[in-house]
Amino acid sequence: MAADPLTETLTIEAATALITQALEAAGTPTPAAGSVARALVAAEAEGQVGHGFSRLADYAAQVQSGKVRADATPICHQDGPGALHVDAGDGFAYPALELAIDRVCAAARIQGCAMVSITRSHHCGALSIQVEKIAQVGLIGIMMANAPPAIAPWGAHQPVFGTNPIAFAAPRRAAPPLVIDLSLSRVARGKVMHAKKSGSSIPEGWALDAAGQPTTDPEAALAGSMVPIGEAKGSALALMVEILVASLAGANPSRKVASFFAAEGPPCGAGQFLMALRPLEGFAARVESLLAHIASLDGARLPGARRADALAGARVQGLCVPRHYLDAARALAAPLD
């Protein structure tokens, strides 16, 4: 089969190096650039293209405009034995998440349960990547995040909530962690932005225009609202996330979170909320029994199986990335050549 001229395959290591170099050229210190690059490449590898290379140009532009403080150092405060707070300092979310996960896991090993809130943060990409880190050290991980307004309260047309994703990961015996990651919109808003940048339409049922009518135009969708999963139930879940991430933690509510895409404007001020729980004795056996029963049912598929397959394929075959994203990344990195 002939190679696709619109895409290019490169290794995970090469992709990470390219994004790091591009961000450094934009003015990001090397440690933060590496943290962001690892997260974007991990998202690309698991098939979440809306959180991968497609974000790089926007991130670089926000560094150059000062909307993101690329040199910010996240600071962790201990609010109680099992309660922590990380101030991301209006920098990238990923260095703050690395600090938060390190500290919350340490506290959970002692306390049995710990939580950490992150404020003055930015776009945090694929939550699956973060909760998996918690499960990889033997703990149960839960994460929530808010985002610029994208979902209207059910029955209304004006967006109030972000897509407000929720993720969960549990350790397993002799197998990668079970990872569940879902946006509370029917699809992640990043997929709509990816469609806009790619010049393609979106399926009907993903979004509504500003008048509350179904649309297949990504421009109209971004100016309107995303359809929540489960209709009123999804809207209620988005409210729950909003309270934990913003009202409890002190981050901006979604309606005040600045765009993750626009280069100009104030810092985003988004928030993230994570929990780590230490499993009790017998947990592993009970989980394996449950998952084995599900897997034995005709037609059943464990959540995250497609993601795991994509990761395994990327490690062996590399990442297949649209060439226009790679061209843009190389153009950004050119000053360092």
Side-chain angles (χ1 to χ4, degrees):
M1 182 181 295
D4 183 351
L6 300 180
T7 64
E8 183 178 334
T9 300
L10 65 170
T11 65
I12 287 174
E13 294 75 16
T16 304
L18 175 58
I19 292 177
T20 300
Q21 189 176 19
L23 289 168
E24 288 173 339
T28 307
T30 299
S35 176
V36 174
R38 289 189 294 273
L40 296 191
V41 169
E44 195 79 43
E46 66 176 47
Q48 297 216 44
V49 295
H51 296 310
F53 266 91
S54 65
R55 294 280 177 165
L56 177 58
D58 295 323
Y59 281 10
Q62 290 177 43
V63 170
Q64 292 169 331
S65 72
K67 183 174 183 175
V68 173
R69 283 189 51 203
D71 62 349
T73 299
I75 299 172
C76 185
H77 303 279
Q78 187 93 22
D79 298 326
L84 304 103
H85 170 238
V86 171
D87 181 351
D90 293 325
F92 283 115
Y94 307 110
L97 281 162
E98 290 177 354
L99 175 62
I101 289 172
D102 179 67
R103 297 293 180 84
V104 79
C105 288
R109 290 190 192 99
I110 297 169
Q111 296 294 126
C113 176
M115 66 178 187
V116 58
S117 59
I118 303 175
T119 58
R120 294 210 297 161
S121 193
H122 190 254
H123 174 251
C124 66
L127 275 63
S128 52
I129 297 163
Q130 311 304 334
V131 291
E132 185 175 45
K133 294 176 185 176
I134 298 173
Q136 284 171 338
V137 297
L139 303 171
I140 297 168
I142 299 170
M143 181 176 175
M144 305 174 192
N146 73 349
I151 295 176
W154 190 246
H157 298 326
Q158 181 178 348
V160 172
F161 313 124
T163 52
N164 290 11
I166 301 173
F168 169 91
R172 296 190 60 190
R173 282 179 173 171
L178 172 72
V179 179
I180 300 170
D181 181 0
L182 61 150
S183 167
L184 296 184
S185 54
R186 189 166 291 176
V187 297
R189 200 163 187 249
K191 291 187 177 180
V192 178
M193 178 57 72
H194 178 66
K196 176 188 172 184
K197 291 181 177 180
S198 301
S200 57
S201 61
I202 60 173
E204 188 167 324
W206 279 16
L208 307 175
D209 64 18
Q213 298 301 310
T215 182
T216 60
D217 179 357
E219 288 267 14
L222 291 169
S225 61
M226 302 295 295
V227 175
I229 60 169
E231 300 181 338
K233 293 178 182 179
S235 177
L237 282 171
L239 172 59
M240 179 191 76
V241 172
E242 196 71 32
I243 290 171
L244 288 174
V245 171
S247 302
L248 176 66
N252 280 349
S254 288
R255 69 182 188 277
K256 294 184 178 179
V257 173
S259 170
F260 289 157
F261 300 108
E264 304 304 324
C268 295
Q272 292 93 40
F273 177 84
L274 300 94
M275 290 186 67
L277 301 93
R278 187 183 66 218
L280 299 175
E281 185 177 353
F283 169 82
R286 291 190 289 270
V287 166
E288 293 307 319
S289 175
L290 172 62
L291 298 183
H293 176 68
I294 294 171
S296 72
L297 301 176
D298 287 343
R301 183 184 179 94
L302 290 177
R306 187 175 291 106
R307 170 183 179 269
D309 290 345
L311 283 171
R315 291 184 186 117
V316 175
Q317 301 166 9
L319 304 175
C320 184
V321 182
R323 193 174 294 276
H324 66 277
Y325 286 144
L326 293 179
D327 289 344
R330 289 169 178 143
L332 285 168
L336 293 182
D337 288 346

